Amino acid sequence: MPGNSWQGILRRWGRRPPGPAPDALRLPPAPELMASLAYHEFHRFDVERRRAEAIIAVARRASTLERVAQLAPAAARDRLQTVRGIGPWTASIVVLLCHGDPDSVIVGDYQIPSYVTWHFAGERRGDDDRMLELLEPYRGQRARVQALAKSAGAPPRHGPRMTLQDLQGR
């Protein structure tokens, strides 16, 4: 969800924090409120139906999902993916951030495998299987190694760069 979408949701349904706080500061909306919304209410914030339904599904299971924090990282990933709309990419990121799991490899991403395959094997394009193969020697710290590969820069682009045309005055 783009940052502007989240900001719009906070302005519309966010809660004011307790105590003195700037007017613009908002807490995330209560899960009960989010669970009661219809998907089309998210459209004004550029959230399409599929993502809106995922937000609503997570909100409806909020109390159950709170317990995911007590699970081991692998079990947490599996439990998160039982919610419609949460796939491997989202589950990996949630476990990485919430559990601090240094081995929670982000899979299902379009670009990250190519960063890893470029820096570890000199291959411009990579997929999840190849990325996991290259990260295997780092088991236990694979998310950290993946993050280092990503921060080292993207692989070279494919094909020649197009010259930009001046479209003003046309």
Side-chain angles (χ1 to χ4, degrees):
M1 178 168 29
N4 289 340
S5 298
W6 180 240
Q7 291 302 316
I9 289 170
L10 285 176
R11 279 192 302 275
R12 174 71 175 95
W13 296 302
R15 301 169 286 161
R16 290 198 38 81
D23 287 337
L25 186 63
R26 293 286 184 262
L27 296 174
E32 300 79 24
L33 171 65
M34 299 301 278
S36 71
L37 298 173
Y39 75 86
H40 59 84
E41 294 182 68
F42 290 87
H43 288 183
R44 74 180 86 166
F45 306 113
D46 294 326
V47 177
E48 80 281 2
R49 182 177 184 159
R50 183 179 54 86
R51 289 179 194 218
E53 287 177 343
I55 292 168
I56 293 165
V58 167
R60 287 180 178 157
R61 295 180 61 180
S63 61
T64 302
L65 292 175
E66 286 289 329
R67 290 182 283 233
V68 168
Q70 279 74 48
L71 298 175
R77 261 189 302 280
D78 291 343
R79 179 73 55 84
L80 287 168
Q81 290 183 71
T82 64
V83 178
R84 190 171 141 220
I86 296 182
W89 185 87
T90 303
S92 295
I93 289 178
V94 168
V95 170
L96 175 65
L97 296 175
C98 294
H99 286 71
D101 181 22
D103 201 48
S104 187
V105 179
I106 299 170
V107 294
D109 191 273
Y110 179 75
Q111 295 176 327
I112 293 176
S114 294
Y115 283 74
V116 172
T117 58
W118 173 248
H119 291 293
F120 283 85
E123 302 164 7
R124 284 189 191 187
R125 292 220 171 157
D127 59 17
D128 285 339
D129 292 336
R130 180 66 172 137
M131 176 182 66
L132 291 170
E133 177 186 335
L134 292 168
L135 291 175
E136 186 56 35
Y138 305 97
R139 183 171 282 283
Q141 301 295 322
R142 294 179 300 174
R144 290 179 173 157
V145 174
Q146 185 183 49
L148 285 171
K150 187 169 185 255
S151 69
R157 295 179 178 231
H158 301 281
R161 293 185 182 228
M162 294 177 58
T163 57
L164 296 177
Q165 296 180 6
D166 182 9
L167 299 177
Q168 289 184 348
R170 281 193 159 187

